Amino acid sequence: SSELTQDPAVSVALGQTVRITCQGDTLRSYYASWYQQKPGQAPVLVIYGKNNRPSGVPDRFSGSSSGNTASLNITGAQAEDEADYYCNSRDSSGNVFFGGGTKLTVL
Amino acid sequence: QVQLVESGGGVVQPGGSLRLSCAASGFTFSTYGMHWVRQPPGKGLEWVAFIRYDGSNTYSADSVKGRLTISRDNSRNTLYLQMNSLKTEDTALYYCARGAHGQLWSLFQHWGQGTLVTVSS
């Protein structure tokens, strides 16, 4: 079973701000990373560490964390942001986890 | 640029074996840890296994321990996944992914396009 919990689906109006959350005890010790996956494509890393964006990821994507919850924030959501989003982290034993994924719909 | 190209997928009967390969280019393969991640059709991502840059240590998910084994050949810039005693629940698209250095080893910095494994009688 997944050690990280995500809401299955979230929607946002075009141009508005949305927060996608990821909960798990391991997040008290380790940062989450976030991945965007569009249909038929491989996942792409969008946020890692405290709040780091790989080169090429728009600055409307940001990350935050508090206690056992990590969040991916999209400020000014665009139509092309519609995708599945997955969080991932690890524990001290070398196990690596994904959340179940959140399907983001941009209305 | 970083390229990861998986191969070796196919249809196999339950209890059978398969070996997946991932050819890496565009970076110094021998200095990065590598992962296998899988995704059953229509479902979410599941981490499978990780191997350190020098092959000195591996980690794997409980669901595959003893059946799926990760290895690498740094002289060939290639990552492998030996899959034995396959079950129907191993049916998935298998991705190889590059980790990052140091404490960021457990994130997936670059991904291949995947190779499909179907376990069916």
Side-chain angles (χ1 to χ4, degrees):
Chain A
S1 63
S2 173
E3 301 282 343
L4 299 174
T5 302
Q6 297 182 242
D7 291 328
V10 171
S11 61
V12 61
L14 185 67
Q16 296 303 300
T17 296
V18 64
R19 173 171 292 178
I20 298 170
T21 61
C22 174
Q23 288 189 302
D25 285 341
T26 193
L27 298 179
R28 297 183 186 278
S29 303
Y30 299 99
Y31 286 116
S33 300
W34 291 91
Y35 305 84
Q36 176 192 68
Q37 187 179 35
K38 297 181 179 179
Q41 297 183 21
V44 173
L45 177 66
V46 294
I47 291 289
Y48 67 95
K50 190 173 184 180
N51 180 19
N52 299 293
R53 278 178 291 107
S55 173
V57 175
D59 61 6
R60 62 179 179 272
F61 289 87
S62 64
S64 59
S65 183
S66 178
N68 73 335
T69 302
S71 300
L72 172 69
N73 307 292
I74 307 175
T75 303
Q78 302 300 302
E80 60 263 33
D81 298 335
E82 187 162 290
D84 294 328
Y85 290 86
Y86 295 90
C87 61
N88 109 277
S89 190
R90 65 179 173 105
D91 66 14
S92 58
S93 299
N95 297 303
V96 179
F97 308 103
F98 282 101
T102 297
K103 182 176 181 62
L104 176 67
T105 300
V106 180
L107 303 172
Chain B
Q1 74 280 21
V2 173
Q3 279 204 313
L4 299 168
V5 179
E6 303 91 338
S7 61
V11 180
V12 60
Q13 291 189 337
S17 296
L18 213 55
R19 189 175 83 155
L20 306 184
S21 299
C22 171
S25 61
F27 66 102
T28 306
F29 180 72
S30 61
T31 66
Y32 284 89
M34 297 292 296
H35 298 268
W36 286 102
V37 176
R38 68 185 180 183
Q39 185 169 34
K43 296 191 177 181
L45 301 170
E46 180 187 15
W47 172 73
V48 173
F50 169 79
I51 186 166
R52 278 174 52 95
Y53 67 96
D54 58 359
S56 62
N57 206 356
T58 63
Y59 300 112
S60 58
D62 289 343
S63 59
V64 307
K65 271 189 173 74
R67 301 187 303 114
L68 276 56
T69 303
I70 190 171
S71 63
R72 65 191 297 160
D73 184 340
N74 285 347
S75 68
R76 296 177 182 269
N77 288 346
T78 302
L79 176 73
Y80 301 103
L81 185 68
Q82 179 65 44
M83 310 173 74
N84 297 330
S85 303
L86 282 163
K87 305 176 181 181
T88 55
E89 52 263 41
D90 294 318
T91 293
L93 186 63
Y94 283 75
Y95 294 102
C96 75
R98 195 187 83 175
H101 285 306
Q103 293 299 310
L104 298 179
W105 66 267
S106 60
L107 67 81
F108 310 95
Q109 209 169 29
H110 296 278
W111 299 67
Q113 287 304 306
T115 186
L116 182 62
V117 173
T118 303
V119 184
S120 174
S121 55

